[in-house]
Amino acid sequence: MNYDERLQNVSVLGAAGKMGSGILLLTAVEMADLSLKPENKGKTFCLNAIDVSPQGLAGLMKYLKVQVQKIAEKKTVMLREIYADRADLIENECIINEYVFDVMNIVRPVTTIESAYDSNLIFEAIVENRDLKTRLFSQINENNKNKPYFFTNTSSVPIHTLDEGAKLDGRVLGFHFYNPPAVQKLVELISLENNSAEMTEFAKAFAKNLRKIIVPSNDKAGFIGNGHFMRDALHGIHEVERLSKEMPYAEALYIINKVSQDFLVRPMGIFQLIDYVGVDVVKFIMEVMNPYLPDEDLHSDLLDKLFEMGVKGGQNSNGSQKDGILKYERGNPVAVFDPETKAYVDISGFKEKCDEKLGPLPGSWKPWKAVNFSRGKKEEMLKTIFTETNKMETLGAELAKAYNAKSNEIGNYLVSSGVAHNVEDVNTVMMTGFFHAYGPVNKYLK
Amino acid sequence: MKKLRRKVYMAAGYNTVSLGTGRKEFNPKKERPGLEHYIKEAGQGTLKQIGGGKNVDEGAIGNFMASRFNKQGHLAGFIPMIDEDLQYKPCIRTEGACASGALSLASGIKSVLAETADVVLSLGVEVQNSMKAIYGADVLAGAGWFKNRKSGHAFFFPGQFSDRAGAYYEKYGMEYARSGMRQWFVNAIENARLCPTAQEYENKVPDLAGLYDKMTPNGKSFVDNLNVLDCSKVSDAASAIAILSEEGLERCGIPKSEAVEVISIAQVERNITNDPPDRTELTAIKKAVKQALEMAGITKDDLATIEVHDCFSIAGILTTEALGFAKPGKGAQFVADRNTARDGKIPMNTTGGLIGWGHPTGGTGVHQAVTIWEQLTGKAGEAQIKIPKDRPYGMTINMGGDDVTVVAIVYKRGDL
Ligand SMILES: NC(=O)c1ccc[n+]([C@@H]2O[C@H](COP(=O)([O-])OP(=O)(O)OC[C@H]3O[C@@H](n4cnc5c(N)ncnc54)[C@H](O)[C@@H]3O)[C@@H](O)[C@H]2O)c1
């Protein structure tokens, strides 16, 4: 089965979810582009958007239409060539509309898993539940004669347990997109030893056509991205717990959030990142990873407590940040949730005092945005800022150095424990998947 | 016609802001003023200077494609909306693609010459940020022959002028050509920075030439031979000016020193179903310029400043050649040597032109006339250039389509 044949019948499980909808969009566009190639004329391409939620699927179709239209508007120059032989399509608008129709026409939104029985490729992005994933894979595999490939988007379930549980004979790999899949450039590719070379080659070709950057990761719980993020988050939480012995909890949390954002020149503080991903999701990923890590305890009482109190974070449907560990106004943290009093404490009440305690940022300091997008000057800027930080002995500088040392240690551990092939891969994941300006394994801070 | 049979003047020009990318107040996601707003603002801006609508005999409005950009036809009907005293007066809408504005001027000039009017309110308007550029390209393609649309580029007009640029590169060298086009762009922005209504007024890029060089033309995302800086802007704007006889000037109380006299006008039409005979030449512009200069009894060397139709930088270069300032192939050099800059031998587009001030397609012809009126009567503010005593003439060249409809007008201050 060649690449085009493989993509003639595909199913996405959980297509209405956050990740599933993006995966569906990218796959639909890739399939439509194949269907429009002259050599594929007359062939039917079929993409099943499978989800248990009918409402979700209705929303998905709306999302698809809007997104495909935007994509078409950006590649109209090319589309005019593709439709050159269609005398009835003259203006850009007709051509864009036709393309939107051609993409939508491939997608079949359905709530029944049986549709996947004819597929050659199954993308899975349902809820993070190992047993459910295993059950669906097994059911499809038993009823599908095509020996389909299973590409799972799981963030934390070891792939080999899915392979063994569903008896897939190595026809499963981790194809781990980042959120949102349509935007994020990174895909972590988690292959198993018993994967066929043909399947891995297909996965790479597919990622390349989607213009994604592939980082190979080994089949160890959490892979690279969450392997770093979860441990980095725990370090932040432990630092807060340590500092709260000497100061109020809310102030300690503010301090660590600020250090992990400003002093480390990261896109957001660690607690804002937890809120962004969702307190519930982070807690859940830790729970899934923990059983596979005998020498570690990847778990936080604080997250459990917050979760029980309904403090969850995550995003509103318009993409804005929901309140969680922090409370937000126009995307900026303005208060810290205190689990003791079960109320938010305004940051403005203690900001000045805490900033004074932390000490000033280095004189050469610039925010993440200015550094990360400073084309060509990034390294020099980072070097200047961190050389200055290294010479400082303020609380802020000391916490930043300790934080970076921990991040470094996690990065190296991911390599030594066999999750990542090398530190470059770890750095690539953090820079492309988490938008860090520099990788965790660095020589900037001492 | 060898000479205008009656004296015709223009005065009381007014430009709205040219709104679009570049202006701080422009937000593509927010609702913006519509056609009515622009027509009213520009019309009233002129009426205020000539004693109101009661002094006006006729109205003319140039507009290219409101029928598609705004789903609105029948624009003449908006002229009486400007002022109660315009109700029931004769009005006309003119269309000749991007030369629609100058056709409105031509219509007014002809009415004055025909003695059916002593004061004509001439307007030009386009509101084209109503759609994304990729769809706007469909609308603007209407300035070409629709039978060529299918084989044309997604960005049809940039595609046409990219082909012209390509032909010029092939004949005279790409790097050489782009050195002139780059300077054309730099002049446009530097001039626009001096004119508060210009779309690029707030442009603060320190190294314009450097920016231009960074943006290599890329046929995959745009067209083969032009970058976006080579192109005029997508603009919402209107301009207005009064066209008057001597009696009209008197009626409105405007001294001749505050007006410009129209010395000559040439209007040329090239068959739209033919490709240009030579892509490195603007033959219709050449013809119109020659006629206008001959009728005025002057040569190009008597001109103090010219507003040329630089919908694309390459059109600017080719126009300097059509004007005779440079031999074929030497236009790029002429511009690169800063001869068309505001302190050069023959300043062109002193408020930024279509690339710097903006290009509200159907409004541009009138905007050009307003700029020349301002320069010749000393009303150009910070953008004012010196008008030499021995070269007191100004000229506008407004082009519709790919060198299809062209109007060239020669002006001089009314009391000289
Ligand atoms: N959200 C992230 O940032 C992120 C990033 C990378 C990977 N992931 C992984 O992607 C997967 C999906 O995560 P998400 O955030 O998109 O979750 P989500 O809750 O947004 O989406 C899950 C979807 O699966 C559907 N679903 C549930 N049970 C189903 C079933 N039996 N059959 C068909 N559909 C079913 C749900 O209706 C929902 O639409 C998880 O494995 C997660 O770990 C998530």
Side-chain angles (χ1 to χ4, degrees):
Chain A
M1 204 181 282
N2 67 25
Y3 181 85
D4 292 20
E5 285 161 352
R6 172 77 51 196
L7 281 166
Q8 253 185 274
N9 195 312
V10 179
S11 290
V12 175
L13 308 180
K18 276 196 292 292
M19 301 303 288
S21 54
I23 296 170
L24 190 95
L25 168 69
L26 296 171
T27 311
V29 168
E30 168 68 359
M31 287 170 68
D33 288 352
L34 292 181
S35 77
L36 289 167
K37 291 203 313 203
E39 62 264 34
N40 287 328
K41 226 177 193 147
K43 289 184 195 152
T44 307
F45 283 72
C46 174
L47 174 59
N48 302 303
I50 304 176
D51 202 288
V52 288
S53 162
Q55 299 94 312
L57 287 173
L60 167 72
M61 295 312 276
K62 275 194 196 141
Y63 163 81
L64 262 191
K65 179 160 187 290
V66 172
Q67 296 304 319
V68 176
Q69 176 148 357
K70 280 192 191 156
I71 291 171
E73 286 165 354
K74 283 204 193 111
K75 60 178 189 188
T76 312
V77 174
M78 192 185 97
L79 292 179
R80 287 189 76 89
E81 278 165 34
I82 290 177
Y83 292 111
D85 59 343
R86 284 282 302 272
D88 59 321
L89 302 176
I90 297 174
E91 298 205 303
N92 294 340
E93 191 175 0
C94 310
I95 283 165
I96 288 164
N97 289 342
E98 182 70 13
Y99 183 72
V100 173
F101 174 78
D102 282 344
V103 175
M104 303 293 286
N105 197 25
I106 285 176
V107 179
R108 287 141 185 62
V110 288
T111 50
T112 46
I113 193 84
E114 286 80 359
S115 308
Y117 294 176
D118 291 324
S119 291
N120 308 318
L121 173 64
I122 318 283
F123 275 103
E124 177 277 310
I126 62 167
V127 283
E128 189 74 336
N129 177 328
R130 189 180 66 176
D131 294 340
L132 182 60
K133 286 178 199 266
T134 311
R135 193 149 48 77
L136 291 184
F137 282 3
S138 157
Q139 186 187 336
I140 294 170
N141 195 44
E142 277 165 23
N143 292 287
N144 185 318
K145 290 191 292 278
N146 305 339
K147 298 221 170 288
Y149 292 167
F150 292 86
F151 285 10
T152 172
N153 198 50
T154 180
S155 300
S156 47
V157 179
I159 314 296
H160 68 92
T161 66
L162 296 172
D163 186 39
E164 287 148 20
K167 304 200 178 58
L168 301 176
D169 295 327
R171 270 182 291 107
V172 58
L173 54 72
F175 202 87
H176 187 231
F177 285 95
Y178 276 69
N179 184 18
V183 179
Q184 289 262 36
K185 284 268 162 262
L186 181 69
V187 166
E188 266 183 280
L189 187 68
I190 305 113
S191 16
L192 301 180
E193 271 174 20
N194 58 341
N195 285 160
S196 70
E198 194 195 346
M199 180 163 92
T200 335
E201 279 319 301
F202 171 83
K204 284 184 185 157
F206 183 74
K208 189 168 163 244
N209 287 348
L210 263 46
R211 290 199 206 88
K212 298 294 178 197
I213 298 166
I214 280 207
V215 173
S217 176
N218 285 329
D219 188 22
K220 297 275 164 75
F223 320 123
I224 298 174
N226 283 320
H228 186 277
F229 172 35
M230 295 301 140
R231 293 174 175 99
D232 200 50
L234 269 187
H235 172 69
I237 292 169
H238 293 152
E239 286 286 85
V240 171
E241 286 164 351
R242 186 174 62 82
L243 288 181
S244 0
K245 289 186 187 127
E246 304 150 21
M247 62 175 85
Y249 163 86
E251 296 178 20
L253 193 130
Y254 165 80
I255 281 184
I256 295 302
N257 198 58
K258 184 177 162 97
V259 166
S260 55
Q261 173 166 15
D262 291 347
F263 282 83
L264 289 183
V265 195
R266 286 187 182 180
M268 51 176 89
I270 191 68
F271 293 103
Q272 189 176 352
L273 180 60
I274 296 175
D275 279 346
Y276 176 81
V277 173
V279 174
D280 50 345
V281 176
V282 172
K283 167 181 135 66
F284 196 64
I285 293 176
M286 285 184 184
E287 273 164 24
V288 178
M289 286 171 67
N290 212 18
Y292 302 99
L293 306 166
D295 307 330
E296 264 180 291
D297 186 22
L298 214 59
H299 166 260
S300 155
D301 290 337
L302 176 66
L303 291 185
D304 288 355
K305 208 190 303 177
L306 290 169
F307 177 76
E308 274 159 35
M309 291 176 179
V311 177
K312 287 195 193 150
Q315 271 109 65
N316 293 307
S317 56
N318 67 0
S320 62
Q321 179 63 50
K322 284 187 196 167
D323 294 340
I325 296 175
L326 296 158
K327 182 178 171 168
Y328 300 88
E329 264 170 30
R330 273 180 257 109
N332 297 317
V334 291
V336 179
F337 184 82
D338 185 343
E340 291 299 313
T341 59
K342 300 195 175 112
Y344 283 99
V345 187
D346 280 348
I347 289 174
S348 60
F350 53 72
K351 184 177 186 315
E352 222 169 292
K353 183 173 78 184
C354 290
D355 288 351
E356 205 165 305
K357 232 181 247 174
L358 278 172
L361 287 157
S364 57
W365 183 84
K366 293 257 162 28
W368 166 79
K369 207 170 175 181
V371 174
N372 201 44
F373 300 109
S374 65
R375 285 198 198 155
K377 288 199 209 116
K378 189 169 90 171
E379 235 162 88
E380 195 189 302
M381 287 171 89
L382 286 168
K383 220 180 250 169
T384 317
I385 295 171
F386 290 135
T387 310
E388 211 179 317
T389 312
N390 280 328
K391 288 188 197 130
M392 293 163 65
E393 282 169 6
T394 56
L395 177 63
E398 292 307 326
L399 287 171
K401 286 177 220 171
Y403 214 113
N404 187 63
K406 183 69 193 178
S407 175
N408 241 294
E409 183 190 315
I410 299 169
N412 283 316
Y413 172 74
L414 288 170
V415 179
S416 66
S417 62
V419 177
H421 294 238
N422 49 53
V423 292
E424 286 73 32
D425 284 351
V426 176
N427 286 353
T428 304
V429 168
M430 297 315 291
M431 288 163 73
T432 49
F434 290 78
F435 293 111
H436 285 190
Y438 56 99
V441 184
N442 65 73
K443 295 202 166 66
Y444 292 123
L445 276 171
K446 308 260 155 51
Chain B
M1 204 169 25
K2 283 225 180 79
K3 244 176 108 73
L4 301 186
R5 58 186 66 194
R6 194 180 177 210
K7 283 198 183 272
V8 182
Y9 298 87
M10 289 191 200
Y14 186 92
N15 297 320
T16 69
V17 157
S18 177
L19 190 67
T21 52
R23 293 291 306 193
K24 265 204 216 97
E25 63 268 46
F26 178 69
N27 179 347
K29 296 209 176 93
K30 288 224 175 99
E31 216 189 322
R32 288 176 300 282
L35 278 173
E36 303 79 2
H37 167 89
Y38 286 101
I39 295 172
K40 225 182 209 165
E41 184 189 331
Q44 290 179 348
T46 290
L47 291 185
K48 216 181 257 167
Q49 305 172 56
I50 62 170
K54 67 175 193 313
N55 284 339
V56 173
D57 300 317
E58 256 184 55
I61 184 162
N63 173 264
F64 175 26
M65 274 285 191
S67 50
R68 290 193 69 185
F69 279 127
N70 323 100
K71 308 246 183 284
Q72 178 65 61
H74 208 167
L75 289 205
F78 289 88
I79 295 178
M81 173 199 69
I82 298 169
D83 187 302
E84 272 180 8
D85 289 329
L86 296 175
Q87 185 82 313
Y88 303 129
K89 288 187 175 165
C91 290
I92 191 170
R93 174 258 181 93
T94 55
E95 193 270 308
C98 302
S100 301
L103 292 184
S104 151
L105 299 173
S107 167
I109 290 169
K110 286 172 186 175
S111 287
V112 172
L113 288 174
E115 302 192 33
T116 56
D118 286 307
V119 179
V120 179
L121 174 64
S122 167
L123 301 128
V125 68
E126 206 76 54
V127 172
Q128 52 189 125
N129 280 298
S130 53
M131 50 181 74
K132 290 186 184 169
I134 191 76
Y135 302 110
D138 282 338
V139 174
L140 297 173
W145 188 24
F146 191 65
K147 291 229 164 117
N148 286 336
R149 178 68 185 110
K150 177 68 186 169
S151 59
H153 195 276
F155 294 96
F156 186 79
F157 263 91
Q160 300 290 102
F161 281 84
S162 166
D163 288 352
R164 280 190 179 275
Y168 197 90
Y169 297 167
E170 198 163 297
K171 227 166 161 177
Y172 307 116
M174 174 161 179
E175 211 175 304
Y176 158 72
R178 290 195 71 72
S179 69
M181 291 156 76
R182 175 179 53 219
Q183 188 60 42
W184 189 275
F185 161 72
V186 171
N187 293 347
I189 304 302
E190 286 179 350
N191 286 338
R193 285 170 177 167
L194 302 171
C195 177
T197 54
Q199 208 162 321
E200 291 291 347
Y201 178 57
E202 289 149 292
N203 183 319
K204 299 209 167 61
V205 176
D207 179 14
L208 291 167
L211 175 71
Y212 184 92
D213 285 341
K214 260 191 230 152
M215 299 176 70
T216 322
N218 175 1
K220 280 209 180 112
S221 53
F222 191 47
V223 292
D224 289 339
N225 302 310
L226 302 174
N227 66 28
V228 292
L229 307 179
D230 287 308
C231 305
S232 52
K233 320 245 1 160
V234 175
S235 316
D236 299 349
S239 295
I241 198 163
I243 302 171
L244 322 93
S245 63
E246 289 196 88
E247 293 85 338
L249 282 180
E250 235 162 78
R251 186 198 294 168
C252 300
I254 298 172
K256 285 188 178 163
S257 58
E258 302 273 296
V260 287
E261 185 185 343
V262 175
I263 306 297
S264 69
I265 174 168
Q267 195 179 327
V268 162
E269 202 74 39
R270 188 179 70 77
N271 182 346
I272 196 172
T273 67
N274 290 346
D275 283 340
D278 177 347
R279 291 200 192 282
T280 60
E281 245 189 85
L282 294 167
T283 56
I285 286 188
K286 197 169 173 184
K287 191 116 196 145
V289 164
K290 184 164 178 278
Q291 281 179 19
L293 289 174
E294 272 176 18
M295 189 200 268
I298 61 170
T299 72
K300 66 175 197 320
D301 301 319
D302 298 313
L303 296 167
T305 175
I306 313 174
E307 287 295 299
V308 311
H309 195 94
D310 61 334
C311 46
F312 302 94
S313 58
I314 185 69
I317 304 286
L318 294 180
T319 302
T320 61
E321 295 179 11
L323 276 158
F325 283 106
K327 294 232 155 52
K330 299 285 179 217
Q333 190 65 55
F334 187 77
V335 174
D337 291 344
R338 296 186 51 91
N339 286 307
T340 61
R342 56 187 308 102
D343 53 355
K345 195 166 154 193
I346 174 70
M348 294 187 188
N349 295 4
T350 53
T351 59
L354 284 64
I355 290 175
W357 189 83
H359 185 25
T361 46
T364 289
V366 181
H367 169 254
Q368 292 179 324
V370 173
T371 302
I372 289 294
W373 166 73
E374 286 172 345
Q375 288 293 7
L376 297 189
T377 58
K379 293 180 192 303
E382 260 201 272
Q384 185 67 49
I385 56 162
K386 201 168 157 345
I387 305 295
K389 282 222 164 59
D390 56 337
R391 292 193 286 132
Y393 296 92
M395 185 184 227
T396 55
I397 302 168
N398 190 199
M399 168 173 72
D402 187 357
D403 195 36
V404 170
T405 297
V406 179
V407 181
I409 303 177
V410 174
Y411 313 72
K412 194 173 75 166
R413 205 173 79 194
D415 58 339
L416 295 180

